[in-house]
Amino acid sequence: MDILDRLHAYRALEQQLAWEGKFVDYLELVRKNPKIAETAHSRIYNMIEAAGIETDEHGRKHYRFFEKEIFGLETALERLVEEYFHSAARRLDVRKRILLLMGPVSGGKSTIVTMLKRGLEQFTKTPEGAVYAIKGCPMHEEPLHLIPQELRPEFEKELGVRIEGNLCPSCRLRLQNDYNNRVEEVPVERIVFSEDERVGIGTFSPSDPKSQDIADLTGSIDFSTISVYGSESDPRAYRFDGELNKANRGLMEFQEMLKCDEKFLWHLLSLTQEGNFKAGRFALISADEMIIAHTNETEYKAFISNKKNEALQSRMIVMPIPYNLRVSDEVKIYEKLVKQSDLKNVHIAPHALRTAAIFSILTRLKESKKQGMDLVKKMYLYDGSSVEGFKEKDVKELRAESPDEGMSGVDPRYVINRISSALIRRDTSCINALDVLRAIKEGLDQHPSITKDERERLLNFISIARKEYDDEAKKEVQKAFVYSYEESAKTLLENYLDNVEAYCNWQKIKDPITGEEIDPDEKLMRSIEEQIGISENAKKAFREEILIRISTYARRGKKFDYNSHERLREAIERKLFADLKDVVKITTSTKTPDALQLKKINEVTKRLIDEHGYCPICANELLRYTGSLLNR
């Protein structure tokens, strides 16, 4: 579609959203759909629910609303949505609390708030999220506030809604002067939330306490009109343009709330508990809005240690937002940050971001007292990988063992900053895992606040991440080489399966050359199983598992092949690679390869580029590096 046509279509859509009528018309809309008169908290929960909620096999809920921006925080998000938004949407007492997101820097707190704000802007453009307000009201007020208190029980029963709050001073005066208290004549319009237009979304950021005025929150007197209206208590002489006024019906973000001067926080006490606040020389002004703030753990601990803050503290719901603890999700975070930066045109070699993620996750994990458990095993378990000797219930126990896990460690922005530094220094179009680890290490050397012990700890994690990458590098080249020997891999698999079947059924197998019956080849089976760490004690269970898988495939009319069992395929590839190691070693490390070796290198390089995401630069670097590893 032509870009001008697209702009025209966008304007047409904006015009379609416009609706205007009288209060009596609005009552008819509410009669048909009582949800349009919902509270701010209910609107936010319905927005999240409308995007879709899925439950996985472990009973964990996943919210599509957050999935494009937030990774690895499923537990924290489930608690946030269910314990706060869902409960508040049902008018339970938590809606009278300030939501405080508490966690380490770059952990996703600001992203969550931004997503809620942007989400509301879009949701109020949909039929499900339509919002209506008294036309001309500076606080975009709920039209049902026009109904007198004495008549509200009857209207609530007839319309199936609950009416909370009173008219703002401006609308009260207009109702008397302009409409002679005929509420049915008051104009109503549909509104769309917009942070830029200051409709339904407000943001307050504290600055110098000496210069910042409470008017930033509650509005101020318009002194130029006092001579016209004669009194500071006349609503026409007051600007209802504070953040609390403009955020009515929606969300107010209180940035760095705990750094704020006390006089600003006092207004939140009444607003959260009673749903109103004091401004100017007026009675209490009703406001229906969710207040959300965010802070780090150090500031929060300092805040709660001050006894003067007890009243405000009791009106807070604190939601810990820790760092992500899954390697695969950490990679998604880096990919998102890379796309948002000028690095998006630079090729990042496979496993580079994963290697950085391994380092980051290790810095966030806590040591476990569970026997046989170390940080690397814990990391793989958290990421959903199988670790011999441990099951899903162990993951729950590990998480329960360290409830504050993820509240410290290396943040994602540090890693992206170091990758940027490496790219600038190398002046290259491609960067690999070793470049990333080198850049991270150099960053530690330049960091004055890191203690000697902490530096040694982090250097150890870099070494572990390097070792994990070495294994991945060899595995990648292994796959590329084994592809040339695919028939050999399939033959080896068939041979293994014949021996496993005979072993599990207490049978003998026929020698393909002599034809005589012989015992299953234990040496062959163990040489394959040992490649993936199957112990002597676990071999019988593993072989029976393979046999069950074959049987299951047969019942379903499917053929068990090379790709039917991931761990067995990995074992076959490793075994074949071990047998071919000398060939690979010679081929990858020869400075002057002969014609046959050159042909093999070109085949492997092409496969790395075509099927594994490498570019010519990092593919050749991988082969050289793997050759050096194999020659050690």
Side-chain angles (χ1 to χ4, degrees), residues 268-309:
L268 303 182
L269 296 176
S270 175
L271 179 60
T272 52
Q273 193 64 36
E274 307 299 334
N276 50 46
F277 63 92
K278 190 78 173 69
R281 298 179 179 180
F282 304 111
L284 291 169
I285 299 173
S286 297
D288 170 31
E289 57 198 78
M290 186 195 88
I291 299 177
I292 186 167
H294 38 90
T295 187
N296 60 49
E297 195 171 10
T298 304
E299 287 178 354
Y300 178 68
K301 286 180 177 177
F303 174 78
I304 60 176
S305 65
N306 187 345
K307 294 292 183 183
K308 291 198 302 182
N309 297 325

Side-chain angles (χ1 to χ4, degrees), residues 423-442:
L423 281 167
I424 293 167
R425 189 173 294 113
R426 278 198 63 184
D427 190 25
T428 179
S429 60
C430 178
I431 189 168
N432 61 34
L434 297 179
D435 297 324
V436 173
L437 290 179
R438 196 178 298 115
I440 291 172
K441 181 180 180 299
E442 289 171 359

Side-chain angles (χ1 to χ4, degrees), residues 487-542:
E487 287 304 317
S488 302
K490 289 178 180 177
T491 302
L492 185 59
L493 174 68
E494 292 297 330
N495 198 357
Y496 175 78
L497 293 178
D498 289 342
N499 280 277
V500 164
E501 189 174 1
Y503 170 85
C504 292
N505 294 327
W506 298 86
Q507 295 174 347
K508 292 183 179 293
I509 62 173
K510 190 175 287 187
D511 188 291
I513 299 174
T514 64
E516 64 179 314
E517 290 192 337
I518 57 175
D519 290 328
D521 191 341
E522 184 66 23
K523 187 176 179 182
L524 170 73
M525 290 187 287
R526 291 301 295 139
S527 69
I528 292 171
E529 292 157 357
E530 286 169 351
Q531 300 295 328
I532 52 171
I534 303 296
S535 65
E536 184 71 26
N537 292 333
K539 69 180 184 182
K540 187 173 184 292
F542 180 75

Side-chain angles (χ1 to χ4, degrees), residues 12 17 32 45 61 80 149 216 238 264 330 352 423 463 523 571 595:
L17 293 175
K32 293 177 182 176
Y45 177 74
K61 290 187 176 180
L80 172 66
Q149 291 284 351
D216 293 347
Y238 196 86
F264 293 95
E330 189 74 6
L423 281 167
S463 298
K523 187 176 179 182

Side-chain angles (χ1 to χ4, degrees), residues 232-295:
E232 292 182 12
S233 60
D234 191 306
R236 292 169 295 184
Y238 196 86
R239 297 192 188 100
F240 293 91
D241 59 356
E243 296 303 322
L244 294 181
N245 305 101
K246 295 302 180 181
N248 186 37
R249 312 292 301 283
L251 178 151
M252 212 280 277
E253 178 188 8
F254 214 121
Q255 295 178 347
E256 303 295 343
M257 189 180 79
L258 303 188
K259 291 180 181 176
C260 200
D261 191 78
E262 288 179 356
K263 65 181 180 181
F264 293 95
L265 300 180
W266 292 335
H267 283 275
L268 303 182
L269 296 176
S270 175
L271 179 60
T272 52
Q273 193 64 36
E274 307 299 334
N276 50 46
F277 63 92
K278 190 78 173 69
R281 298 179 179 180
F282 304 111
L284 291 169
I285 299 173
S286 297
D288 170 31
E289 57 198 78
M290 186 195 88
I291 299 177
I292 186 167
H294 38 90
T295 187

